[in-house]
């Protein structure tokens, strides 16, 4: 038996996040931006945040360049914790890309995303922190 | 030099969380509940959530009992990422308590808390997940 029981049937955020991943993978930045609130914050790397549509879009352009326009983003296990119109998503996020020398590379992060439910029932991302709790660096 | 620069001057949530920790330590559950939205969710343990004022209050009563009415909660490093009226807090949360046999015990968790800014400018907790990214159990 697993350490914790499976969560109930898939939360709508599973599909939302999968669609956002596809938009990032496709480098369709117009589509990517539709997943964020206007005043969202993206943790580009620990200590460097991008806030608002313009900064986040530029960050994604820089990220695409950084990964040689080959980044593929997917999610593994994903847990959604809803508190009213706010949801914390804890996810295993997988990054795959091709290095400049042609070698394949990959990384897995334990990420945290905060989504807000909108008036029409859709969910938008307010805080995108793919570094999860690694932002506090101490060993525990 | 640290891996990431220090964040700007302390966010108001530092004081809010310190006050909530004191209320938990004092077992002042009326005070504890003033830190949560009405429909907040507390992760009691992985796979077991308490949602809403009544369930959360009962969970804190059970937690106090579990720790022999000796639990002291404090925070170490704490990072706040704000996206509009929503904030993700990543924190090092320390628990100290006295076991039934009188021995002192302690635990440290890398926690994630989601707060929502209210109309009056105050912050209330919508998702309290002291287990952080440990909710996705795979090794990364």
């Amino acid at each position: 038996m697993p350490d914790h029981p499976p969560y109930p049937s898939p939360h709508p955020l599973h599909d939302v996040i999968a669609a956002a991943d596809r938009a990032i993978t496709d480098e369709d930045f117009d589509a990517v931006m539709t997943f964020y609130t206007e005043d969202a914050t993206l943790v580009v790397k620990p200590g460097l945040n991008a806030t608002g549509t313009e900064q986040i879009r530029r960050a994604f352009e820089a990220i695409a360049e950084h990964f040689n326009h080959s980044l593929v983003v997917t999610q593994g296990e994903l847990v959604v914790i809803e508190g009213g119109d706010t949801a914390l998503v804890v996810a295993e996020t997988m990054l795959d890309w091709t290095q400049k020398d042609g070698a394949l590379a990959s990384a897995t992060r334990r990420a945290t995303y905060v989504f807000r439910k909108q008036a029409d029932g859709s969910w938008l991302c307010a805080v995108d922190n793919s570094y999860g709790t690694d932002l506090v660096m101490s060993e525990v």
Side-chain angles (χ1 to χ4, degrees), chain A:
Chain A
M1 236 176 83
D3 224 324
H4 59 94
Y7 282 72
S9 63
H11 191 281
L13 276 170
H14 285 250
D15 287 343
V16 171
I17 292 170
D21 288 344
R22 279 194 299 275
I24 294 168
T25 298
D26 293 346
E27 299 190 13
D28 182 349
F29 301 120
D30 288 339
V32 170
M33 295 318 302
T34 65
F35 292 96
Y36 291 90
T37 63
E38 276 183 20
D39 45 14
T41 294
L42 165 72
V43 180
V44 181
K45 57 184 181 182
L48 178 64
N49 295 346
T51 294
T53 308
E54 200 181 323
Q55 285 187 12
I56 292 177
R57 193 189 170 105
R58 280 208 305 268
F60 273 113
E61 289 168 353
I63 288 165
E65 180 67 29
H66 176 77
F67 287 105
N68 304 309
H69 300 283
S70 66
L71 180 63
V72 177
V73 184
T74 51
Q75 311 290 325
E77 195 182 345
L78 196 146
V79 174
V80 179
I81 311 156
E82 224 176 305
D85 54 7
T86 304
L88 171 65
V89 178
V90 178
E92 212 186 349
T93 298
M94 272 89 74
L95 309 179
D96 291 274
W97 70 97
T98 307
Q99 293 177 331
K100 282 220 166 78
D101 62 6
L104 301 177
S106 67
T108 303
R109 297 178 185 164
R110 289 206 239 179
T112 48
Y113 309 117
V114 181
F115 281 81
R116 297 269 295 116
K117 197 187 253 178
Q118 307 300 301
D120 66 359
S122 67
W123 291 90
L124 293 179
C125 184
V127 180
D128 181 340
N129 168 33
S130 68
Y131 295 91
T133 55
D134 289 346
L135 293 191
V136 292
M137 306 300 282
S138 324
E139 290 300 317
V140 295

